[in-house]
Amino acid sequence: MTRFITSGFSHFILFIGILIMIVPVWMIFASSTHTGLTINTQGLQMFLGDSFYENYLRVLLYKGGFFKEITALKMFLNSFIMATGVAILSVITSLMAAYALVYYRTKYATLLFWIIFVTILVPLELRIFPTYSVMAELNLVNSYFGLIVPISASAIATLFFRQFYKTVPDELLESAKLDGANTWRFFVDFLVPLSKTMIVAMLIFMFVFGYNQYLWPLLVTSSEQYWTVVMGLKMMSGSIVHRFAFVMMSMVPPILIIIVLQKHFIKGVFQDK
Amino acid sequence: MSFLDLKNVTKIYPNGTKAVHETSLSVDEGEFMVFVGPSGCGKSTLLRMVAGLEDITEGDINLDGKLINEVDPSERDVAMVFQNYALYPHMNVYNNLAYGLKNRGIDKETIEQKVNDAAKLLQISDFLQRKPSMLSGGQRQRVAMGRAIVRNPKIFLFDEPLSNLDAKLRIQMRLEIKKLQQKVGVTSIFVTHDQVEAMTLADRLAVINDGIIEQLGTPIEIYNNPKSLFVAGFIGSPQMNFLDANLNNKTLSAENFEIKNIDSDYNGEVTLGIRPEHLIETENGLINLKVELVEQLGSDNLVYGQIKNIKDFCYRSPGNQTIKKGDTLSLNIEENKYFIFDKSTGKRVN
């Protein structure tokens, strides 16, 4: 009986938590399917309306911005390119940095690692002007390259890969050496496949990180052609229902990437121990 | 020059520890050499220097007539079986075997041929598509050996490969390794701390202590004629019994018995060594053993007891005898089956 009560109680707490998380999102979604007039006169809606296609299509294709040349669709593309670029590039650089730190047993490897690690304490915002001036100098303002590269070195990912490499037994390296693998082959044939699950986890993490960037894209792009979704949230003008629709859509890519990659993530966890 | 030649090989680690002292050794082609010694004696370091996984501080290593001191491990054409097998966890058995061949740029058909041959030889053909995590200890061991065999290297190096297996499997794999080595005929070095393994596998045995080869020879030579106290104590199971004694004018006096006409001119304090299996029961023997414990092994009994102040003296008696705790046995030493060592240096003196 007591067990029933405790489990009932914890379920109740969880249920409340779920409500707190879900209800606002649902209200935005429900409201985004009504007309602007309904929202303005009757407030936020709990039930679905019938303007879903009308609102969402208009948001996707409406040309916004000062020069009326950016659509939400283009923003999604920009965000996708930026987030994917950040995810892939930062995973590659961290994999390699960690490899160098662990396997090239230089005297200063630990010191170097901590120097890299300390950069976590220096957020992008703090170094944003020097970073910008470097990008401006290199003529990389208003380019995908300029959007992606400056935020693609991740100390956290480097930390994760480094800790993982340290658990790989030395015999594996020695055995591979005797089998004729050079340093590059050991990296590609052993460490990369062995860190598969870690790579997937970091890809998710860095994708969301890249997708959520606001200040940096705002600064490094003056052309509307490079606006991202998160910037669009701020810039979006028009009816409240269109903004709601945009907010809803802006949530889709990160959720999608987690759903898609999580399958591999779990597979990796269970098949390769 | 023999097939593998170590000349004054020394290893000093950066922190100053001297792991191997000016060791010289040659191994003939096709020979099965075993390095045996307690843990930390430098036997693995010596092996790893042959493999190229440790730098050589001083001295030369020649393999097949070529100086290999500075040759990269991948170029030495040696294969090694590690203690924990070091199988590639993300590759299936086939790729574990094939990886070394792929890196050598061998074409696909030849690789397939070689892998299948090796798999057949080791009876692992059924597991080729499995990952190492799905194999048992013995099967992993076979895969590790398959990986060595498939490359047809100049020399096999085994670094305590049996120590992760249970007792029964260990004996079985020991036999298989020996058979396999005889069949394939590749020169091999096997490192172990288990003296039974060493005795059974070796064509020749190097007993290593503190980075020095104490004695080198065939297992039976070493068993019959240990040159030092360390070797005498290390080789043989159960361990040799040691008694303090005095040697004067060819007469040895121990706690309560004497042996005359000893073939040695040494005078002074010595240690007398007698193997448990070199004792026989007689009437009015030299030694009176008060039995404290009997281990019945079936084929024979290990009798532990006390001679005056010496504890845990061991005697191996035939299995059909019934000996009880509290019995007193009268024992003699088989003729000339005793060893006398200088007490201070540990060197054999008779």
Side-chain angles (χ1 to χ4, degrees):
Chain A
M1 190 62 195
T2 30
R3 224 180 108 210
F4 180 75
I5 290 173
T6 26
S7 107
F9 183 70
S10 44
H11 276 88
F12 177 72
I13 300 265
L14 287 173
F15 185 69
I16 297 289
I18 290 169
L19 280 186
I20 291 174
M21 307 266 271
I22 295 290
V23 167
V25 178
W26 172 253
M27 282 176 77
I28 294 174
F29 178 65
S31 304
S32 73
T33 59
H34 290 268
T35 58
L37 189 70
T38 323
I39 305 298
N40 284 336
T41 53
Q42 297 168 26
L44 292 176
Q45 299 296 308
M46 280 304 280
F47 301 101
L48 295 176
D50 45 18
S51 311
F52 177 82
Y53 287 111
E54 189 193 323
N55 290 345
Y56 279 76
L57 273 179
R58 180 172 179 286
V59 169
L60 276 178
L61 302 173
Y62 176 76
K63 289 185 176 10
F66 300 110
F67 303 100
K68 304 283 173 216
E69 57 188 18
I70 177 88
T71 60
L73 212 54
K74 180 80 203 256
M75 285 188 221
F76 276 106
L77 183 69
N78 287 343
S79 275
F80 184 77
I81 291 171
M82 179 177 175
T84 312
V86 170
I88 291 172
L89 208 61
S90 61
V91 164
I92 291 174
T93 51
S94 326
L95 268 171
M96 290 178 146
Y99 182 48
L101 287 171
V102 176
Y103 286 94
Y104 289 80
R105 289 176 188 142
T106 60
K107 235 166 149 183
Y108 306 108
T110 314
L111 179 74
L112 271 173
F113 169 70
W114 285 111
I115 291 173
I116 292 173
F117 193 72
V118 158
T119 60
I120 289 176
L121 304 176
V122 186
L124 177 72
E125 288 73 14
L126 211 65
R127 57 178 171 91
I128 206 153
F129 288 107
T131 311
Y132 179 81
S133 70
V134 169
M135 286 295 121
E137 201 92 344
L138 295 172
N139 258 335
L140 290 172
V141 175
N142 283 327
S143 70
Y144 289 122
F145 196 83
L147 272 172
I148 294 167
V149 172
I151 54 170
S152 294
S154 166
I156 295 212
T158 309
L159 165 79
F160 274 100
F161 287 126
R162 173 184 183 259
Q163 297 316 103
F164 172 71
Y165 290 168
K166 285 189 163 234
T167 66
V168 174
D170 280 346
E171 282 87 354
L172 209 59
L173 171 67
E174 291 171 348
S175 188
K177 261 191 202 166
L178 291 173
D179 259 346
N182 55 26
T183 36
W184 172 249
R185 285 250 73 91
F186 180 67
F187 180 63
V188 174
D189 292 344
F190 290 82
L191 291 179
V192 172
L194 285 173
S195 8
K196 206 168 77 193
T197 40
M198 187 76 71
I199 289 174
V200 173
M202 284 300 127
L203 277 177
I204 295 175
F205 183 75
M206 295 313 295
F207 182 91
V208 175
F209 172 80
Y211 188 81
N212 283 341
Q213 285 302 312
Y214 175 64
L215 190 60
W216 176 248
L218 188 69
L219 207 72
V220 84
T221 59
S222 53
S223 156
E224 286 169 9
Q225 282 306 317
Y226 290 98
W227 278 13
T228 63
V229 173
V230 180
M231 289 162 77
L233 286 174
K234 175 80 169 62
M235 309 287 186
M236 196 78 186
S237 54
S239 163
I240 185 107
V241 286
H242 298 141
R243 285 194 227 172
F244 281 168
F246 190 67
V247 166
M248 285 315 297
M249 287 192 287
S250 75
M251 282 187 245
V252 174
I255 292 173
L256 221 58
I257 213 86
I258 288 169
I259 291 171
V260 169
L261 288 183
Q262 203 179 35
K263 236 166 65 186
H264 296 276
F265 184 66
I266 292 169
K267 213 162 94 185
V269 171
F270 286 106
Q271 273 192 351
D272 300 329
K273 288 205 289 190
Chain B
M1 190 183 278
S2 46
F3 191 68
L4 175 74
D5 224 19
L6 277 69
K7 216 181 287 161
N8 298 326
V9 172
T10 298
K11 173 74 191 181
I12 302 168
Y13 282 106
N15 64 11
T17 322
K18 207 167 184 184
V20 176
H21 298 256
E22 304 197 3
T23 296
S24 297
L25 173 84
S26 15
V27 182
D28 293 327
E29 190 156 9
E31 193 176 19
F32 201 120
M33 169 69 78
V34 174
F35 293 169
V36 65
S39 48
C41 71
K43 57 190 189 301
S44 281
T45 310
L46 202 56
L47 187 81
R48 291 166 57 83
M49 285 197 281
V50 176
L53 301 172
E54 299 277 357
D55 293 330
I56 300 157
T57 316
E58 272 167 46
D60 289 336
I61 298 182
N62 282 286
L63 178 64
D64 201 10
K66 198 176 137 208
L67 183 71
I68 56 166
N69 278 27
E70 301 296 327
V71 178
D72 195 72
S74 57
E75 314 270 304
R76 289 191 185 192
D77 204 7
V78 301
M80 188 154 164
V81 177
F82 292 84
Q83 184 171 356
N84 60 5
Y85 320 135
L87 299 181
Y88 309 143
H90 57 297
M91 296 183 191
N92 63 21
V93 172
Y94 181 90
N95 284 324
N96 261 282
L97 263 61
Y99 186 71
L101 299 173
K102 280 182 194 159
N103 278 336
R104 279 170 175 74
I106 295 168
D107 65 277
K108 254 193 170 160
E109 280 110 61
T110 319
I111 291 178
E112 208 177 322
Q113 182 70 40
K114 285 186 172 206
V115 170
N116 286 332
D117 288 351
K120 219 186 219 166
L121 188 66
L122 289 158
Q123 297 159 4
I124 50 172
S125 304
D126 294 343
F127 321 127
L128 284 177
Q129 297 310 319
R130 289 200 201 162
K131 292 260 179 82
S133 56
M134 295 156 78
L135 302 177
S136 70
Q139 290 165 344
R140 285 179 202 191
Q141 176 72 61
R142 279 169 216 265
V143 176
M145 293 203 316
R147 209 166 55 180
I149 287 170
V150 80
R151 277 182 24 215
N152 197 13
K154 284 184 183 152
I155 190 163
F156 280 167
L157 306 173
F158 297 90
D159 191 1
E160 310 212 14
L162 302 179
S163 49
N164 280 358
L165 301 175
D166 62 64
K168 198 177 158 198
L169 202 55
R170 197 179 307 164
I171 294 168
Q172 189 191 334
M173 289 311 292
R174 193 171 80 199
L175 271 170
E176 282 188 28
I177 288 181
K178 183 72 178 172
K179 275 193 214 153
L180 198 73
Q181 197 267 345
Q182 285 172 347
K183 201 181 214 170
V184 185
V186 175
T187 315
S188 304
I189 303 180
F190 190 102
V191 162
T192 179
H193 60 261
D194 182 323
Q195 55 97 18
V196 179
E197 232 166 80
M199 294 284 287
T200 48
L201 283 171
D203 290 333
R204 271 195 311 152
L205 196 60
V207 184
I208 301 177
N209 184 28
D210 261 343
I212 294 166
I213 296 183
E214 290 251 347
Q215 194 171 352
L216 189 66
T218 63
I220 216 66
E221 256 169 45
I222 290 181
Y223 175 82
N224 285 336
N225 199 8
K227 292 225 170 84
S228 71
L229 194 64
F230 174 81
V231 175
F234 199 80
I235 299 295
S237 172
Q239 212 194 346
M240 192 185 277
N241 298 298
F242 293 117
L243 310 171
D244 285 340
N246 258 301
L247 185 59
N248 268 314
N249 292 327
K250 298 190 185 287
T251 301
L252 181 106
S253 22
E255 189 106 357
N256 57 350
F257 62 89
E258 275 191 351
I259 306 172
K260 292 201 162 105
N261 294 326
I262 282 176
D263 182 20
S264 169
D265 293 326
Y266 184 83
N267 287 318
E269 288 198 344
V270 291
T271 303
L272 172 68
I274 310 158
R275 293 201 187 276
E277 53 272 39
H278 291 159
L279 292 161
I280 30 173
E281 257 188 283
T282 56
E283 280 172 38
N284 301 320
L286 277 178
I287 302 165
N288 288 314
L289 182 72
K290 195 160 178 258
V291 178
E292 287 174 333
L293 183 79
V294 182
E295 286 181 346
Q296 292 185 308
L297 302 178
S299 59
D300 44 22
N301 300 321
L302 298 180
V303 181
Y304 294 90
Q306 202 168 351
I307 313 172
K308 274 211 159 173
N309 294 324
I310 302 147
K311 283 184 180 163
D312 294 332
F313 191 90
C314 182
Y315 156 57
R316 186 195 286 260
S317 82
N320 50 16
Q321 259 178 325
T322 17
I323 299 170
K324 289 191 302 292
K325 187 182 167 183
D327 288 358
T328 302
L329 305 178
S330 167
L331 303 171
N332 251 349
I333 307 168
E334 279 180 40
E335 209 176 317
N336 286 325
K337 290 287 178 69
Y338 52 82
F339 310 96
I340 303 170
F341 305 95
D342 182 333
K343 200 178 175 189
S344 51
T345 61
K347 291 268 174 285
R348 177 90 176 272
V349 291
N350 72 324

